[in-house]
Amino acid sequence: MTKEQKALFSLLLSQNEQSKEAGEPYLRAPRTALEEIAKNTKPDIAAAIVADYSTGNLYPEKAQKT
């Protein structure tokens, strides 16, 4: 995997764990499924997803208000 795909994989794992802790639906065995998603995402798209999440653009309702 490229570094962009690895960053996406890490983000997806983190989101899954947050969902689990919040009592929301989550994947019980996420590694294989999320790794396949990350591997099959083009590096530029993976980078854009991670960047949008980091800036709050992916989930505007969850973005911190400044």
Side-chain angles (χ1 to χ4, degrees), residues 12-51:
L12 294 172
L13 278 177
S14 174
Q15 287 297 109
N16 191 63
E17 187 61 30
Q18 288 178 17
S19 292
K20 179 181 176 181
E21 291 172 2
E24 298 171 352
Y26 67 97
L27 297 172
R28 294 183 189 272
R31 284 201 156 285
T32 302
L34 297 179
E35 185 174 26
E36 285 301 311
I37 291 169
K39 281 182 182 178
N40 290 308
T41 303
K42 292 181 180 180
D44 58 331
I45 301 298
I49 292 169
V50 172

Side-chain angles (χ1 to χ4, degrees), residues 1-17:
M1 276 195 286
T2 66
K3 66 179 180 174
E4 295 86 2
Q5 291 167 322
K6 288 178 184 177
L8 177 60
F9 176 63
S10 178
L11 173 66
L12 294 172
L13 278 177
S14 174
Q15 287 297 109
N16 191 63
E17 187 61 30

